[in-house]
Every structure is written in C-alpha cells, then in structure tokens.
Amino acid sequence: MELITLKVFDSSVEAHILRSKLESEDIDAFVFDEHSISMNPLFTQALGGVRLKIRKEDHEKALSILQEIDETNYTNDLNEVIVCPKCGSNEYYSNFKSMKGGKGLLSILSAFIFWVYPIYYKTVYKCKKCNKEFTAE
C-alpha cells in the first residue's frame, strides 16, 4: 500500500477534520507528524507541517472531495455567506495569518532581536481580489 500526501496543515486539528470527512466517504486517511508539531510548534517548518496521507488509489476521489469543500462558501453564525466588506467578493483565503498593526510589528521586531518564533498573529480572511483583511462578524 503506497501512501501519498494529500494536504499539509499548520495544526493537527485541521488535519483531523479533513481526515474524518474523508473517512466518512470511505477513504482511509492518516495524519503524520501531529505529535511532534503539537509538542513544539517551531518544528512546523522543519518537519514540513502536519501531513494528511491517503492511499494512492483514492487520490482522484479525495481531490474531488477537496474541490467540493473549496467551492463551498463560508457562512457566519446567522447562516449568511461571508463576503469581503470592501468589494463584496466571496473569494478569499481563510485562516490567513496576519501580523498587520502595532502588535504584529512589535512581534516581528522582538522575534528578530531575540531569535524566537513570532508570538503574535491574528487569523483573518484575506480577499483574493482586493487584498483586504477582515474577520467574519
């Protein structure tokens, strides 16, 4: 049985969510390097992230499931489709790690001075058309 990497994640939680979706569609999925990265997030870059692997013969079916997930619009708590507040587009990056603002600048400077991992970032949506960063409210 040959395993191939389907997707790479920053956190094991996201990997397990996709793993459970794939397994509900009768695709065996395996999560690699989750414990190493959970114990020390600095290993994320060194190990290449948390990898979700599947059997090679399930690749096409898994890609169609990923495409279906990617084409589904995100909704807020009121079940309304989330759109960019600037241009109204529903094409954006979710879970974008932003360091804009004073706290982000301070985090970058302290990371550079003390040679540590940046300790501050916020997770936002980033519009693919106008590059506006926003949160779903």
Side-chain angles (χ1 to χ4, degrees):
M1 172 172 64
E2 183 180 353
L3 296 178
I4 59 170
T5 301
L6 178 65
K7 194 165 181 179
V8 178
F9 298 90
D10 290 335
S11 78
S12 61
V13 173
E14 294 169 346
H16 279 288
I17 290 171
L18 182 56
R19 179 191 58 79
S20 65
K21 171 63 176 167
L22 292 172
E23 287 181 351
S24 75
E25 300 286 336
D26 294 326
I27 297 175
D28 291 328
F30 309 93
V31 178
F32 285 77
D33 296 327
E34 68 174 312
H35 299 297
S36 300
I37 292 173
S38 294
M39 292 298 292
N40 190 346
L42 295 175
F43 288 163
T44 301
Q45 295 299 321
L47 294 176
V50 178
R51 294 173 289 142
L52 182 69
K53 292 193 173 205
I54 59 169
R55 292 189 320 248
K56 190 172 186 176
E57 54 266 18
D58 291 332
H59 189 250
E60 292 299 321
K61 185 176 179 184
L63 285 180
S64 67
I65 292 169
L66 277 179
Q67 182 178 3
E68 179 185 330
I69 291 170
D70 288 342
E71 290 173 354
T72 303
N73 291 322
Y74 288 93
T75 57
N76 61 14
D77 294 337
L78 302 174
N79 209 24
E80 302 166 333
V81 175
I82 298 171
V83 295
C84 173
K86 184 176 180 183
C87 69
S89 171
N90 65 350
E91 296 180 29
Y92 44 78
Y93 303 103
S94 62
N95 296 322
F96 184 80
K97 310 289 191 264
S98 176
M99 296 182 78
K100 280 189 176 179
K103 290 180 182 178
L105 179 62
L106 184 61
S107 177
I108 291 171
L109 289 174
S110 62
F112 180 73
I113 292 170
F114 299 112
W115 290 91
V116 295
Y117 190 74
I119 55 174
Y120 172 81
Y121 63 85
K122 57 185 172 182
T123 304
V124 296
Y125 297 101
K126 183 173 182 178
C127 182
K128 291 181 180 179
K129 292 188 177 180
C130 68
N131 289 325
K132 168 89 172 148
E133 293 178 5
F134 61 95
T135 58
E137 296 175 17

